[in-house]
Amino acid sequence: MAVSCTASININIDGLPLFNNGTAQVWPILFNIHEKPDLPPMIAGIFHGHSKPKKVEQFLDAFVEEILPIIKNGLVINNQILSVTIRAVICDAPARAFVKGVVNFNSINGCLKCHTVGEYSKELRTIIFPQTNAICRTDSDFRNTPNDKHRQYYKIQQGKEIVKVPIQTPFLKLPLDMIQDFVVSDSLHLLHLGVTKKLLHFGTVTSNIHNLTHVVEDVEKKGSLPSISTYPFENHLYQIKNMVRSGR
């Protein structure tokens, strides 16, 4: 059977507190179909606990193992093959760092797109990123240099020594560009909540301001800002929360 059509999906991951009081929370894995923007996001899986998932491997393994054969072989629907590809992973900054297994966005090596090195500002008590012409990160660098300072580590006891082991996110098993396919140009968190608030208080190049230098790159690779926005996913998270009636 020949491939009849293609569905390129956007993946969203975020944490959602269930109640105003207490620590109960869920971490849904949502997706939508780029070719069908009128369709609402759908749920691929949900983690529930009283903190965020401890290890990204435990959180993503089942999802990756399920979607990998679909990407390789497609889906047969009514005797026609639907080809499925991952277009982009769209998250806020803390979730991006978690699912990629990298340091937080406000760390000195926290930029997902380039090798800029931040500086600590005593005045602002935060990391700033004044450099705008740093070398770009690449997928091959990310996959082949796990000891990069950009990566996160597990500390494992081996005998009398504690050894640092780089986190290997399950996303590495998928045909993803680990740099280009993780967009930073989310209009909700970067532009409307991130940059706008910062401009009202500072003129300083914080992480959000620095990420503006990567917006053009994301748009050239993925398309218009509305097509890589978390707005539809945030709306769906709100609907999920409203479905939870009580602590039971």
Side-chain angles (χ1 to χ4, degrees):
M1 289 183 290
V3 173
S4 57
C5 59
T6 298
S8 49
I9 63 173
N10 300 311
I11 297 172
N12 172 263
I13 295 169
D14 200 359
L16 178 67
L18 291 179
F19 311 105
N20 293 331
N21 298 319
T23 58
Q25 57 185 279
V26 292
W27 280 70
I29 302 174
L30 305 178
F31 71 96
N32 65 7
I33 302 174
H34 176 60
E35 291 81 4
K36 296 288 184 179
D38 54 315
L39 294 179
M42 291 164 271
I43 299 174
I46 296 181
F47 167 89
H48 171 264
H50 291 276
S51 66
K52 83 172 188 178
K54 297 296 184 183
K55 292 187 176 183
V56 67
E57 295 90 342
Q58 295 174 346
F59 176 61
L60 285 177
D61 262 341
F63 169 72
V64 168
E65 293 302 321
E66 185 172 350
I67 198 172
L68 188 57
I70 295 175
I71 293 175
K72 289 182 176 180
N73 306 317
L75 286 174
V76 178
I77 303 176
N78 295 329
N79 293 320
Q80 294 182 327
I81 297 180
L82 172 67
S83 174
V84 178
T85 62
I86 297 177
R87 174 175 177 264
V89 180
I90 306 171
C91 310
D92 64 11
R96 281 197 304 263
F98 171 64
V99 299
K100 287 192 68 174
V102 299
V103 296
N104 288 330
F105 63 96
N106 56 355
S107 301
I108 62 171
N109 299 105
C111 182
L112 290 154
K113 297 290 186 178
C114 72
H115 288 273
T116 186
V117 178
E119 304 171 2
Y120 181 74
S121 169
K122 293 182 179 179
E123 178 185 359
L124 300 176
R125 297 181 180 179
T126 189
I127 301 295
I128 61 173
F129 299 86
Q131 185 183 16
T132 58
N133 59 346
I135 298 173
C136 294
R137 298 189 186 277
T138 66
D139 178 68
S140 60
D141 286 344
F142 187 90
R143 293 175 180 274
N144 298 325
T145 55
N147 295 319
D148 183 11
K149 293 180 180 179
H150 180 57
R151 303 290 285 273
Q152 279 271 37
Y153 298 84
Y154 292 130
K155 293 182 179 179
I156 299 176
Q157 184 84 34
Q158 289 189 354
K160 296 182 179 180
E161 296 184 353
I162 295 179
V163 180
K164 295 198 302 183
V165 179
I167 294 176
Q168 299 291 325
T169 172
F171 274 138
L172 288 167
K173 302 176 184 178
L174 299 178
L176 282 171
D177 187 311
M178 295 299 295
I179 307 302
Q180 300 295 343
D181 291 339
F182 289 78
V183 297
V184 299
S185 305
D186 165 37
S187 53
L188 170 59
H189 296 101
L190 176 62
L191 302 178
H192 301 155
L193 293 179
V195 169
T196 302
K197 288 173 65 176
K198 291 296 183 184
L199 289 178
L200 293 174
H201 296 284
F202 311 112
T204 302
V205 187
T206 57
S207 174
N208 280 325
I209 303 296
H210 169 78
N211 276 337
L212 291 179
T213 64
H214 300 301
V215 170
V216 172
E217 176 187 350
D218 275 347
V219 170
E220 287 179 343
K221 296 288 185 181
K222 298 300 179 183
S224 65
L225 287 176
S227 75
I228 51 175
S229 171
T230 59
Y231 270 112
F233 298 108
E234 292 289 338
N235 291 336
H236 199 68
L237 287 175
Y238 179 76
Q239 295 175 24
I240 292 174
K241 186 170 183 177
N242 283 342
M243 295 172 65
V244 180
R245 299 300 182 185
S246 71
R248 297 179 183 176

